[in-house]
């Protein structure tokens, strides 16, 4: 499917213990769908797809009630809580064969749904992926802003390429999703993986608001673990750092050995000290380098086990001819 003029849109919304906020935001999503349909930008067959992530409260009940009340609401439920990233992936994979485009968004009303118009326009202009990027963090506390921006900088420094200030609010076409489905890894870090798919993409800026109701499921501890997962599942740079550090220690050790020998020749030491110190310096440097080299191979094995697609083709001349 590749319908640019009148695409079927699925809005994919992960929900975990959201009984307070869902009854407020669900009608807003439906309204957006209706507005976009009325404007002739999307097909009337578009849907709001909720993904219940093993909620322990009434969330799934609310989703079922919504689905009964209006056929534009549909829902799937995960058998247990698997976390935000898995919930989004489940929704996208479920949607990819039924629609032309998906937009993933949180259900708490923090992301401005009006940015969807610009996202759909960008798709109609030929983009396959459109990243929602926060224009400012004025509504965040200083602490959240500081930690979140530090998080993007750390990720990029560690070799995981992510779009700055983009969370998981994005449009992906069914075509991009078909290719994305070939990424078979289990450790998910969507915002680092989606850019690997490539294709024409762009960014749309939006304001992020406060949560409408309920509370965040992302405390600092979860954010740190997400950052750690992001780095370790996308890059083997930390292993390179160990090798580099090993070389540095080896150089310092070499200087240490010279220093110990000079001290021994000058007679400033007790007997046996210089040889012991030299051995310690030498061995610690060699050990770190060896660890780094072993790590390098483990890193390669790690990347191989992901079995990612080795190439993704965006166009073929013969397809082009058929279209003309
Ligand atoms: N969420 C989920 N599973 C989880 C945690 C969160 O599906 O285990 C959903 C949640 O319902 C919300 C989105 O992920 O729609 C973002 O979570 P939250 O708003 O708590 O995070 P924050 O915006 O504070 O980073
Ligand atoms: Mg939120």
């Amino acid at each position: 499917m590749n319908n640019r003029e009148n695409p079927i849109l699925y809005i994919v919304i992960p929900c975990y213990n959201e009984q307070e906020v869902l009854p407020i935001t669900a009608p807003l999503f439906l309204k957006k769908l209706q507005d976009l349909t009325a404007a002739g930008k999307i097909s009337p067959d578009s849907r709001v797809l909720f993904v219940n992530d093993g909620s322990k409260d009434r969330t799934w009940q609310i989703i079922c009630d919504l689905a009964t009340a209006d056929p534009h609401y549909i829902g799937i439920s995960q058998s247990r809580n698997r976390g935000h990233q898995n919930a989004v992936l489940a929704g996208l994979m479920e949607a990819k064969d039924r629609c032309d485009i998906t937009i993933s968004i949180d259900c708490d009303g923090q992301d401005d749904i009006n940015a969807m118009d610009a996202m759909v326009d960008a798709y109609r202009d030929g983009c396959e992926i459109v990243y929602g990027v926060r224009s400012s963090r004025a509504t965040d506390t200083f602490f959240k802003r500081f930690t979140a921006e530090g998080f993007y900088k750390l990720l990029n420094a560690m070799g995981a390429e992510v779009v700055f200030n983009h969370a998981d609010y994005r449009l992906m076409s069914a075509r991009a999703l078909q290719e994305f489905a070939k990424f078979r890894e289990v450790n998910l870090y969507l915002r680092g993986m989606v850019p690997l798919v490539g294709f024409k993409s762009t960014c749309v800026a939006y304001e992020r608001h406060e949560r409408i109701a309920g509370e965040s499921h992302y405390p600092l501890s979860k954010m740190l673990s997400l950052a750690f997962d992001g780095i370790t599942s996308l890059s083997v740079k930390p292993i390179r750092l160990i090798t580099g550090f090993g070389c540095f220690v080896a150089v310092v050790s070499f200087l240490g050995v010279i220093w110990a020998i000079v001290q021994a020749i000058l007679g400033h030491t007790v007997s046996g000290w210089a040889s012991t110190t030299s051995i310690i310096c030498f061995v610690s440097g060699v050990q770190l380098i060896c660890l780094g080299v072993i790590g390098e191979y483990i890193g390669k094995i790690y990347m191989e086990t992901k079995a990612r697609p080795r190439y993704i083709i965006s166009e073929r001349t013969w397809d082009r001819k058929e279209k003309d």
Side-chain angles (χ1 to χ4, degrees), residues 12-18 21-22 51-55 59 78 81-88 105-111 134 144 167-168 191 208-209 211 213-219 222-223 226:
V12 174
I13 308 166
C15 310
Y16 175 59
N17 292 349
E18 299 284 11
V21 78
L22 205 51
V51 183
N52 173 37
D53 186 18
S55 300
T59 301
Q78 293 215 91
N81 179 245
R82 292 293 304 272
H84 172 224
Q85 300 286 295
N86 295 69
V88 173
I105 184 168
D106 293 350
C107 72
D108 53 15
Q110 284 191 278
D111 301 324
R134 301 177 59 165
K144 175 95 185 177
D168 283 304
R191 43 191 115 150
R208 187 155 155 124
H209 311 292
R211 220 174 207 282
E215 46 190 62
S216 169
H217 304 97
Y218 267 99
K222 261 201 190 172
M223 242 173 67
L226 187 67

Side-chain angles (χ1 to χ4, degrees), residues 151 189 218-232:
F151 168 89
Y189 187 69
Y218 267 99
L220 183 63
S221 59
K222 261 201 190 172
M223 242 173 67
L224 284 178
S225 107
L226 187 67
F228 197 70
D229 278 351
I231 294 165
T232 52

